[in-house]
Short mmCIF file of all heavy atoms in Angstrom, two decimals:
data_model
loop_
_atom_site.label_atom_id
_atom_site.label_comp_id
_atom_site.label_asym_id
_atom_site.label_seq_id
_atom_site.Cartn_x
_atom_site.Cartn_y
_atom_site.Cartn_z
N GLN C 743 1.00 -22.26 -1.05
CA GLN C 743 1.30 -21.03 -0.04
C GLN C 743 2.02 -21.60 1.14
O GLN C 743 1.59 -22.60 1.63
CB GLN C 743 0.04 -20.28 0.24
CG GLN C 743 0.33 -18.98 1.16
CD GLN C 743 -0.45 -17.90 0.69
OE1 GLN C 743 -0.63 -17.60 -0.50
NE2 GLN C 743 -0.94 -17.08 1.67
N SER C 744 2.77 -20.82 1.68
CA SER C 744 3.56 -21.26 3.03
C SER C 744 4.24 -22.49 2.99
O SER C 744 4.62 -23.01 1.88
CB SER C 744 2.59 -20.99 4.03
OG SER C 744 2.04 -19.63 4.20
N GLU C 745 4.40 -22.98 4.20
CA GLU C 745 4.96 -24.36 4.40
C GLU C 745 4.44 -25.24 5.46
O GLU C 745 3.83 -24.66 6.39
CB GLU C 745 6.53 -24.23 4.89
CG GLU C 745 7.48 -23.41 3.82
CD GLU C 745 8.84 -23.19 4.41
OE1 GLU C 745 9.04 -23.19 5.65
OE2 GLU C 745 9.82 -23.11 3.51
N ILE C 746 4.20 -26.44 5.13
CA ILE C 746 3.89 -27.28 6.31
C ILE C 746 4.99 -28.00 6.92
O ILE C 746 5.24 -28.03 8.12
CB ILE C 746 2.96 -28.55 5.76
CG1 ILE C 746 1.61 -28.03 5.31
CG2 ILE C 746 2.69 -29.54 6.85
CD1 ILE C 746 0.63 -28.94 4.61
N ARG C 747 6.07 -28.32 6.06
CA ARG C 747 7.47 -28.73 6.55
C ARG C 747 8.43 -27.84 5.98
O ARG C 747 8.52 -27.56 4.87
CB ARG C 747 7.64 -30.16 6.10
CG ARG C 747 6.99 -31.32 7.09
CD ARG C 747 7.18 -32.73 6.50
NE ARG C 747 6.33 -32.93 5.29
CZ ARG C 747 5.04 -33.26 5.25
NH1 ARG C 747 4.38 -33.46 6.52
NH2 ARG C 747 4.27 -33.43 4.17
N ALA C 748 9.30 -27.33 6.83
CA ALA C 748 10.34 -26.31 6.41
C ALA C 748 11.15 -26.96 5.38
O ALA C 748 11.69 -28.05 5.48
CB ALA C 748 11.16 -26.06 7.68
N GLY C 749 11.37 -26.07 4.41
CA GLY C 749 12.45 -26.38 3.41
C GLY C 749 11.69 -27.12 2.18
O GLY C 749 12.41 -27.35 1.05
N GLU C 750 10.46 -27.57 2.43
CA GLU C 750 9.75 -28.49 1.30
C GLU C 750 8.99 -27.38 0.41
O GLU C 750 8.77 -26.22 0.81
CB GLU C 750 8.87 -29.43 1.91
CG GLU C 750 9.61 -30.57 2.42
CD GLU C 750 8.71 -31.75 2.86
OE1 GLU C 750 7.52 -31.70 2.52
OE2 GLU C 750 9.31 -32.80 3.42
N PRO C 751 8.63 -27.68 -0.90
CA PRO C 751 7.90 -26.79 -1.68
C PRO C 751 6.44 -26.40 -0.98
O PRO C 751 5.96 -27.06 -0.14
CB PRO C 751 7.49 -27.60 -2.92
CG PRO C 751 8.61 -28.63 -2.92
CD PRO C 751 8.85 -28.98 -1.51
N GLU C 752 6.07 -25.22 -1.36
CA GLU C 752 4.77 -24.70 -0.86
C GLU C 752 3.66 -25.55 -1.18
O GLU C 752 3.58 -26.01 -2.38
CB GLU C 752 4.53 -23.25 -1.31
CG GLU C 752 5.36 -22.21 -0.80
CD GLU C 752 5.08 -20.89 -1.42
OE1 GLU C 752 5.03 -20.65 -2.68
OE2 GLU C 752 4.71 -20.04 -0.44
N PRO C 753 2.82 -26.21 -0.28
CA PRO C 753 1.81 -27.12 -0.61
C PRO C 753 0.58 -26.26 -1.18
O PRO C 753 0.47 -25.18 -1.03
CB PRO C 753 1.38 -27.66 0.74
CG PRO C 753 1.74 -26.55 1.75
CD PRO C 753 2.98 -25.82 1.12
N GLN C 754 -0.37 -27.17 -1.82
CA GLN C 754 -1.70 -26.63 -2.23
C GLN C 754 -2.39 -26.14 -0.78
O GLN C 754 -2.26 -26.88 0.15
CB GLN C 754 -2.42 -27.79 -2.95
CG GLN C 754 -1.85 -28.25 -4.21
CD GLN C 754 -2.37 -29.55 -4.54
OE1 GLN C 754 -1.96 -30.48 -4.07
NE2 GLN C 754 -3.26 -29.63 -5.47
N ILE C 755 -3.00 -25.12 -0.84
CA ILE C 755 -3.75 -24.66 0.25
C ILE C 755 -4.78 -25.54 0.65
O ILE C 755 -5.36 -25.58 1.81
CB ILE C 755 -4.19 -23.19 0.23
CG1 ILE C 755 -5.17 -22.95 -0.86
CG2 ILE C 755 -2.96 -22.25 0.17
CD1 ILE C 755 -5.73 -21.48 -0.80
N LEU C 756 -5.32 -26.46 -0.33
CA LEU C 756 -6.29 -27.41 0.01
C LEU C 756 -5.80 -28.57 1.05
O LEU C 756 -6.43 -29.37 1.45
CB LEU C 756 -6.83 -28.15 -1.30
CG LEU C 756 -8.25 -28.78 -1.28
CD1 LEU C 756 -9.27 -27.84 -0.76
CD2 LEU C 756 -8.58 -29.28 -2.73
N ASP C 757 -4.33 -28.65 0.98
CA ASP C 757 -3.87 -29.59 1.93
C ASP C 757 -3.89 -29.17 3.37
O ASP C 757 -3.66 -29.94 4.31
CB ASP C 757 -2.35 -29.83 1.65
CG ASP C 757 -2.19 -30.73 0.37
OD1 ASP C 757 -3.18 -31.35 -0.01
OD2 ASP C 757 -1.09 -30.65 -0.31
N TYR C 758 -4.05 -27.90 3.75
CA TYR C 758 -4.25 -27.40 5.09
C TYR C 758 -5.52 -27.84 5.60
O TYR C 758 -6.70 -27.58 5.12
CB TYR C 758 -4.13 -25.82 5.12
CG TYR C 758 -2.76 -25.36 4.79
CD1 TYR C 758 -2.42 -24.95 3.60
CD2 TYR C 758 -1.71 -25.38 5.90
CE1 TYR C 758 -1.05 -24.47 3.26
CE2 TYR C 758 -0.42 -25.02 5.62
CZ TYR C 758 -0.09 -24.50 4.33
OH TYR C 758 1.04 -24.11 4.09
N GLN C 759 -5.55 -28.27 6.86
CA GLN C 759 -6.75 -28.78 7.57
C GLN C 759 -7.74 -27.70 7.81
O GLN C 759 -8.91 -27.89 7.65
CB GLN C 759 -6.27 -29.49 8.95
CG GLN C 759 -7.52 -30.24 9.51
CD GLN C 759 -7.17 -30.88 10.90
OE1 GLN C 759 -6.87 -30.07 11.71
NE2 GLN C 759 -7.12 -32.11 10.93
N THR C 760 -7.17 -26.37 8.06
CA THR C 760 -8.09 -25.29 8.22
C THR C 760 -8.86 -25.01 7.07
O THR C 760 -10.05 -24.59 7.03
CB THR C 760 -7.11 -24.19 8.71
OG1 THR C 760 -6.18 -23.88 7.76
CG2 THR C 760 -6.65 -24.17 10.16
N GLN C 761 -8.24 -25.11 5.93
CA GLN C 761 -8.89 -24.85 4.49
C GLN C 761 -9.94 -25.87 4.33
O GLN C 761 -11.17 -25.62 3.94
CB GLN C 761 -7.92 -24.87 3.42
CG GLN C 761 -8.41 -24.25 2.10
CD GLN C 761 -8.64 -22.66 2.09
OE1 GLN C 761 -8.46 -22.09 3.10
NE2 GLN C 761 -8.86 -22.17 0.94
N GLN C 762 -9.61 -27.16 4.54
CA GLN C 762 -10.62 -28.24 4.48
C GLN C 762 -11.78 -28.09 5.37
O GLN C 762 -13.01 -28.30 4.95
CB GLN C 762 -9.96 -29.63 4.79
CG GLN C 762 -8.79 -29.98 3.69
CD GLN C 762 -7.99 -31.12 4.21
OE1 GLN C 762 -8.45 -31.89 5.23
NE2 GLN C 762 -6.84 -31.34 3.55
N TYR C 763 -11.47 -27.64 6.63
CA TYR C 763 -12.59 -27.42 7.59
C TYR C 763 -13.55 -26.25 7.20
O TYR C 763 -14.67 -26.26 7.46
CB TYR C 763 -11.92 -27.17 8.89
CG TYR C 763 -12.98 -27.16 10.07
CD1 TYR C 763 -13.76 -28.31 10.41
CD2 TYR C 763 -13.33 -25.90 10.73
CE1 TYR C 763 -14.60 -28.31 11.44
CE2 TYR C 763 -14.18 -25.98 11.82
CZ TYR C 763 -14.85 -27.17 12.20
OH TYR C 763 -15.89 -27.12 13.15
N LYS C 764 -12.84 -25.29 6.50
CA LYS C 764 -13.77 -24.10 6.01
C LYS C 764 -14.65 -24.57 4.86
O LYS C 764 -15.94 -24.29 4.84
CB LYS C 764 -12.84 -23.06 5.33
CG LYS C 764 -12.19 -22.14 6.56
CD LYS C 764 -11.27 -21.16 5.75
CE LYS C 764 -10.23 -20.48 6.68
NZ LYS C 764 -9.16 -19.73 5.85
N LEU C 765 -14.06 -25.35 3.95
CA LEU C 765 -14.80 -25.61 2.59
C LEU C 765 -15.50 -27.04 2.54
O LEU C 765 -16.57 -26.92 1.95
CB LEU C 765 -13.70 -25.56 1.47
CG LEU C 765 -13.05 -24.12 1.31
CD1 LEU C 765 -11.99 -24.19 0.21
CD2 LEU C 765 -14.11 -23.05 0.99
N PHE C 766 -15.07 -28.02 3.05
CA PHE C 766 -15.62 -29.35 2.82
C PHE C 766 -17.04 -29.46 3.45
O PHE C 766 -17.96 -29.96 2.83
CB PHE C 766 -14.74 -30.44 3.28
CG PHE C 766 -13.59 -30.63 2.46
CD1 PHE C 766 -12.58 -31.63 2.76
CD2 PHE C 766 -13.26 -29.82 1.39
CE1 PHE C 766 -11.39 -31.77 2.08
CE2 PHE C 766 -12.16 -30.04 0.63
CZ PHE C 766 -11.21 -30.97 1.06
N PRO C 767 -17.26 -28.79 4.69
CA PRO C 767 -18.74 -28.84 5.15
C PRO C 767 -19.70 -27.97 4.29
O PRO C 767 -20.81 -28.35 4.20
CB PRO C 767 -18.52 -28.18 6.47
CG PRO C 767 -17.17 -28.48 6.97
CD PRO C 767 -16.35 -28.41 5.66
N LEU C 768 -19.05 -26.93 3.75
CA LEU C 768 -20.01 -26.10 2.77
C LEU C 768 -20.15 -26.97 1.34
O LEU C 768 -21.26 -26.83 0.86
CB LEU C 768 -19.14 -24.91 2.36
CG LEU C 768 -18.87 -23.94 3.53
CD1 LEU C 768 -18.25 -22.63 3.10
CD2 LEU C 768 -19.96 -23.74 4.43
N LEU C 769 -19.24 -27.71 0.99
CA LEU C 769 -19.38 -28.62 -0.19
C LEU C 769 -20.63 -29.69 0.25
O LEU C 769 -21.47 -29.88 -0.64
CB LEU C 769 -18.09 -29.43 -0.53
CG LEU C 769 -18.20 -30.37 -1.61
CD1 LEU C 769 -18.60 -29.80 -2.98
CD2 LEU C 769 -16.80 -31.08 -1.78
N ALA C 770 -20.44 -30.22 1.35
CA ALA C 770 -21.50 -31.09 1.91
C ALA C 770 -22.87 -30.45 1.92
O ALA C 770 -23.96 -31.10 1.48
CB ALA C 770 -21.15 -31.69 3.26
N MET C 771 -22.86 -29.15 2.39
CA MET C 771 -24.15 -28.44 2.42
C MET C 771 -24.61 -28.25 1.01
O MET C 771 -26.05 -28.21 0.87
CB MET C 771 -23.89 -27.17 3.10
CG MET C 771 -25.16 -26.33 3.47
SD MET C 771 -24.83 -24.65 3.85
CE MET C 771 -23.80 -24.82 5.34
#
């Protein structure tokens, strides 16, 4: 979804730091 760098393919949303911040602490929990 969306872009991190303009013109490049849409990244996996797991590459977004916000998504990691939502999910990885819950994985640790």
Side-chain angles (χ1 to χ4, degrees):
Q743 186 136 325
S744 303
E745 295 176 336
I746 292 178
R747 280 176 284 275
E750 291 191 5
E752 291 183 300
Q754 297 160 279
I755 59 173
L756 201 54
D757 287 337
Y758 288 99
Q759 191 182 66
T760 50
Q761 191 77 343
Q762 294 168 15
Y763 189 67
K764 287 176 195 171
L765 295 177
F766 293 177
L768 305 186
L769 175 60
M771 190 194 298

